[in-house]
Amino acid sequence: MTLSLPTEIPLQAYLVLAAVLFCAGVWGLINSRNAVRVLMSIELMLNAVNINLMAFSSYLDGQLIRGQVFAIFVITVAAAEAAVGLAILLSLYRNRETVDMERFNLLRW
Amino acid sequence: MTIASTTQLICFAVLSLTLVVGAFGVVLLPNIVYSAFLLGGVFLSVAGLYLLLNASFVAAAQILVYVGAVNVLILFAIMLVNKREDLSAIPGLALRRLLSALVCAGLFVLLVRVAFTTPWALPGPASIGEEATARIGEHLFSDYLLPFELASVLLLMAMIGAIVLARRDVFASDVITGEPADQGLLEKARTPLLTSKP
């Protein structure tokens, strides 16, 4: 009995993997009560986008790897976002003494 | 089927399994510290996927920036806000989770359908492999020069912004002259704002 596995990894495998990661990130972003976990979910989503960019760069743009350059910019912006986001979280915690997302409701209509 | 492609498939399977399990662990585990360490695992397996895609430079950048900086920053944040608190129950939480899971499943189905129905222009041009690092450098200093410089300005702004937002300590007296500092600038140890509201 021979397994009919593909000889190389198809592009769609990477896309489906990134879709799983992105959807897990979206679900966590909506449902997390802890503000740190919200930031982690955002990082998951950014990584999913990066996987897509790298897969396209490798499979469809092998010579001018523009996707890799984009992924580097995304990594840069993600690092800046994490730093500012966690600083905001710290000052929020200092003012409200909680990290529960349900209690950050000052701007709720 | 050669040994190389078999190895590649096995690596891809292991990495994607780690990635999916880690991602669901990050969003589902009740303990936030476990989530943070699993997030590090997710970042490492994403770096492994980049290595499978012939991108060693981006894999190294991923490990340095995400595992070395972002994950450590998240652990520090968890340490600084680590207070056991019992979250008050909200009505309809299970319904909300179910609905958002349905929405996410719909989004997933949509993305998978797009991935399998789009006629990708495969096979594309041959990959340049280990030349990629030199090519990224050429891109960064020719046609992507403006975004590159903007990214450096952005990082500087983020650094200053994070310091301004997160700092707390102000000296009570001037370090050089020893005169008492302007009391208006001091952050008093005061009761937190707005905690009384539910």
Side-chain angles (χ1 to χ4, degrees):
Chain A
M1 176 185 161
T2 57
L3 289 172
S4 64
L5 283 171
T7 53
E8 63 178 25
I9 307 161
L11 171 64
Q12 282 86 0
Y14 285 99
L15 299 185
V16 170
L17 194 60
V20 172
L21 199 57
F22 190 83
C23 291
V26 170
W27 193 87
L29 185 68
I30 298 172
N31 283 301
S32 299
R33 306 267 320 254
N34 193 326
V36 183
R37 202 188 296 266
V38 171
L39 287 170
M40 290 193 214
S41 303
I42 294 175
E43 299 296 332
L44 284 185
M45 290 160 68
L46 285 165
N47 269 290
V49 172
N50 267 347
I51 291 177
N52 267 354
L53 285 174
M54 301 290 288
F56 287 136
S57 160
S58 174
Y59 281 83
L60 304 174
D61 193 22
Q63 287 297 314
L64 297 169
I65 42 167
R66 283 165 291 198
Q68 296 195 16
V69 185
F70 267 82
I72 288 176
F73 286 127
V74 172
I75 288 176
T76 313
V77 175
E81 173 263 332
V84 175
L86 291 171
I88 290 175
L89 177 70
L90 280 188
S91 89
L92 203 57
Y93 178 72
R94 230 172 261 153
N95 282 328
R96 303 294 297 259
E97 293 256 304
T98 180
V99 284
D100 185 4
M101 291 300 284
E102 297 296 324
R103 292 182 59 199
F104 299 147
N105 52 7
L106 190 62
L107 289 180
R108 195 173 185 176
W109 42 270
Chain B
M1 197 164 185
T2 61
I3 292 179
S5 63
T6 314
T7 316
Q8 207 177 6
L9 274 181
I10 292 172
C11 287
F12 181 77
V14 170
L15 286 172
S16 48
L17 191 68
T18 323
L19 187 68
V20 171
V21 171
F24 281 105
V26 167
V27 295
L28 292 177
L29 280 184
N31 192 335
I32 188 89
V33 182
Y34 295 163
S35 291
F37 281 106
L38 274 180
L39 189 70
V42 169
F43 290 155
L44 281 176
S45 46
V46 170
L49 285 178
Y50 293 169
L51 284 180
L52 277 183
L53 288 167
N54 286 325
S56 46
F57 177 74
V58 187
Q62 165 91 11
I63 290 181
L64 286 177
V65 175
Y66 271 111
V67 184
V70 173
N71 205 16
V72 172
L73 203 60
I74 286 176
L75 281 172
F76 261 99
I78 291 171
M79 189 183 75
L80 289 173
V81 300
N82 191 7
K83 191 179 72 170
R84 293 271 162 217
E85 53 182 322
D86 297 321
L87 300 177
S88 55
I90 1 175
L93 185 63
L95 180 66
R96 190 199 294 187
R97 292 197 161 169
L98 188 68
L99 281 179
S100 54
L102 282 179
V103 169
C104 289
L107 179 65
F108 177 70
V109 169
L110 178 74
L111 287 173
V112 170
R113 185 174 158 75
V114 167
F116 280 97
T117 54
T118 309
W120 305 111
L122 287 169
S127 175
I128 55 173
E130 285 307 309
E131 299 278 313
T133 310
R135 185 59 56 86
I136 290 172
E138 288 165 16
H139 275 306
L140 285 185
F141 284 99
S142 58
D143 45 353
Y144 290 97
L145 183 63
L146 182 64
F148 181 69
E149 299 294 338
L150 280 179
S152 63
V153 176
L154 175 79
L155 282 177
L156 179 69
M157 280 162 48
M159 188 173 73
I160 297 173
I163 292 171
V164 168
L165 282 170
R167 75 169 180 167
R168 163 177 241 174
D169 295 326
V170 181
F171 290 120
S173 62
D174 195 313
V175 188
I176 301 170
T177 60
E179 294 168 359
D182 183 4
Q183 293 299 309
L185 293 174
L186 282 181
E187 187 179 353
K188 305 267 191 327
R190 55 179 162 71
T191 53
L193 302 168
L194 307 164
T195 43
S196 57
K197 283 192 176 181

